[in-house]
Amino acid sequence: MTNTSQKIFNNKMEYKKENINSILTINVANLIKNYNKLKSTNSKAEVAACVKADAYGLGCIKICKILLENGCNSFFVATSEEALSLRKKFKNINIFLLNGVNDQNTCLKMIKENIFIVINNVDQLNIIKKVFILNKKKIKCAIHIDIGMNRLGFSFEQFKEIYDGIKNYLNIKLVMSHLTSSEIKNSSHNLKQLNRFKKVIDNFFFLKSIKYSLSNSNGAFLGKKYCFNMIRAGGFLFGLDLSSENKGNPVLSLKTKIIQINSISAGNGIGYGSNFITKKKSVIATLAIGYADGLPRNYKGYILLNNKKAPFVGNISMDLSCIDITAVPNLKVNDWVEIFGNNVSIFDFAKYSKTITYEISSKIGNRVKRVYNYNI
């Protein structure tokens, strides 16, 4: 490896023998720091982890193990498949199924595996009721009340109307809702939704040993009054903060290999469609990463090598992409380069992709090896 690539990625060549071309490195120490930072916002509120979509692309099982070792015992997933996969590995954690169930068989599986079903609407409630009639046992669940997201959840008026008819077969462990604009500290929506949620709580006074949850990660930084009994932490844990004010520690770094270097004369096209034409003699490096690995096809950014920009040129394809390294000498085939991380932040990467960090991390493909670094 050259001096240039050693600065970019120092891995003692342990991945060369595995023929690995792209690596997502997870900084475990910073992940734990972010978790503890959220815990410090309110010592009385439990910090649960949202690990849907394979923990936002970081690897659900490994991330849950790390967080469990650091005191986290409640986890939220989106689908029944995610819930069952998590339960298979961890027998004693609390698992909440955010999207609920849409058929009786799935409902029975969740009950058997002691998974808390989040009930979002009357259709899901009717399924729960039918299962109760079969089992004659109250079903442990969470109730999702919509206070402005207008995505999932009962309206509170709707839930009040039906509660008397359903309370005999529900064992409600959590009442939850979701802030729409918590990343914008001064948004008027935050206080409006807080007051709506307080009214929801006032109407659940008859339930004992129940928890309430309103805040996602950014909601926790709005103040203790937003935290209630549980904070549902997501992107902030993984260094994907959407707020410009609440900054966590960086967690992710994506690197890939150069697999070919060509010297190309002026007037030649690069990639599909030849949408980029060289204006002068250029040195073009082909990288072993494409949109199947999570590099957006519309990405218009660059790689920073020795403080010099190496822009992406030509259309990004499924497995490959190209950068112009004319201004960066001494690179060679099999050198590692960083797509995002220490040089180009994941926030800038997302900006050049015209999206948010959450989408970037959750779309990183399975061909990219996840490496959990405890020593960064």
Side-chain angles (χ1 to χ4, degrees), residues 241-369:
D241 5 331
L242 294 180
S243 170
S244 59
E245 297 183 29
N246 310 317
K247 287 297 181 184
N249 297 284
V251 173
L252 301 181
S253 176
L254 178 63
K255 300 176 178 73
T256 194
K257 274 183 182 178
I258 295 172
I259 60 172
Q260 182 170 303
I261 296 176
N262 281 335
S263 181
I264 298 176
S265 58
N268 279 283
I270 306 294
Y272 285 117
S274 294
N275 290 339
F276 177 86
I277 306 294
T278 55
K279 295 180 180 179
K280 60 181 182 179
K281 185 177 180 180
S282 303
V283 181
I284 304 298
T286 301
L287 307 180
I289 192 168
Y291 58 75
D293 306 296
L295 185 63
R297 191 174 181 274
N298 67 337
Y299 184 59
K300 303 300 181 186
Y302 57 88
I303 286 173
L304 198 61
L305 303 170
N306 285 353
N307 295 316
K308 295 179 180 179
K309 290 183 179 180
F312 281 82
V313 292
N315 283 331
I316 291 167
S317 56
M318 184 179 292
D319 315 298
L320 304 167
S321 53
C322 295
I323 56 173
D324 186 338
I325 60 170
T326 308
V328 187
N330 301 322
L331 289 174
K332 61 184 180 63
V333 170
N334 286 329
D335 280 353
W336 290 90
V337 297
E338 182 188 84
I339 302 295
F340 62 73
N342 293 324
N343 297 304
V344 176
S345 74
I346 192 172
F347 306 102
D348 286 338
F349 183 87
K351 180 178 70 175
Y352 294 133
S353 302
K354 297 182 179 180
T355 186
I356 61 173
T357 55
Y358 288 42
E359 182 176 0
I360 295 300
S361 70
S362 64
K363 285 188 174 179
I364 294 173
N366 291 330
R367 299 189 302 193
V368 178
K369 183 177 179 66

Side-chain angles (χ1 to χ4, degrees), residues 49-67:
C50 189
V51 291
K52 59 187 178 178
D54 201 27
Y56 294 43
L58 279 68
C60 182
I61 300 303
K62 185 68 175 180
I63 292 300
C64 288
K65 183 176 184 294
I66 292 166
L67 291 172

Side-chain angles (χ1 to χ4, degrees), residues 138 162-172 206-207:
K138 280 192 174 186
I162 62 177
Y163 181 73
D164 284 342
I166 64 174
K167 60 186 179 183
N168 291 329
Y169 57 89
L170 296 184
N171 182 2
I172 301 173
F206 48 84
L207 292 175

Side-chain angles (χ1 to χ4, degrees), residues 120-325:
N120 296 287
N121 52 57
V122 173
D123 291 331
Q124 293 181 351
L125 195 56
N126 287 336
I127 292 169
I128 297 285
K129 186 175 181 178
K130 290 176 182 177
V131 171
F132 169 77
I133 292 171
L134 291 174
N135 288 355
K136 302 300 181 184
K137 185 177 181 181
K138 280 192 174 186
I139 296 169
K140 291 190 289 187
C141 65
I143 300 296
H144 183 184
I145 305 295
D146 179 27
I147 56 170
M149 183 72 81
N150 294 311
R151 188 180 59 174
L152 276 180
F154 295 93
S155 70
F156 183 63
E157 291 72 22
Q158 182 185 41
F159 189 76
K160 278 177 66 177
E161 288 176 5
I162 62 177
Y163 181 73
D164 284 342
I166 64 174
K167 60 186 179 183
N168 291 329
Y169 57 89
L170 296 184
N171 182 2
I172 301 173
K173 296 295 185 181
L174 177 73
V175 174
M176 58 177 281
S177 194
H178 205 306
L179 295 165
T180 64
S181 308
S182 61
E183 68 274 15
I184 307 169
K185 186 174 182 179
N186 296 321
S187 172
S188 61
H189 293 293
N190 294 326
L191 186 57
K192 288 178 182 177
Q193 289 190 293
L194 175 64
N195 290 331
R196 287 175 189 165
F197 194 63
K198 285 180 177 178
K199 291 180 180 178
V200 169
I201 291 174
D202 288 343
N203 285 273
F204 280 93
F205 67 91
F206 48 84
L207 292 175
K208 297 179 180 179
S209 301
I210 188 172
K211 291 185 176 182
Y212 298 97
S213 179
L214 173 63
S215 287
N216 52 1
S217 299
N218 284 313
F221 295 105
L222 295 175
K224 291 184 178 181
K225 60 186 178 182
Y226 284 85
C227 294
F228 296 95
N229 305 111
M230 178 186 284
I231 299 162
R232 305 189 310 276
F236 182 88
L237 290 175
F238 313 129
L240 306 173
D241 5 331
L242 294 180
S243 170
S244 59
E245 297 183 29
N246 310 317
K247 287 297 181 184
N249 297 284
V251 173
L252 301 181
S253 176
L254 178 63
K255 300 176 178 73
T256 194
K257 274 183 182 178
I258 295 172
I259 60 172
Q260 182 170 303
I261 296 176
N262 281 335
S263 181
I264 298 176
S265 58
N268 279 283
I270 306 294
Y272 285 117
S274 294
N275 290 339
F276 177 86
I277 306 294
T278 55
K279 295 180 180 179
K280 60 181 182 179
K281 185 177 180 180
S282 303
V283 181
I284 304 298
T286 301
L287 307 180
I289 192 168
Y291 58 75
D293 306 296
L295 185 63
R297 191 174 181 274
N298 67 337
Y299 184 59
K300 303 300 181 186
Y302 57 88
I303 286 173
L304 198 61
L305 303 170
N306 285 353
N307 295 316
K308 295 179 180 179
K309 290 183 179 180
F312 281 82
V313 292
N315 283 331
I316 291 167
S317 56
M318 184 179 292
D319 315 298
L320 304 167
S321 53
C322 295
I323 56 173
D324 186 338
I325 60 170

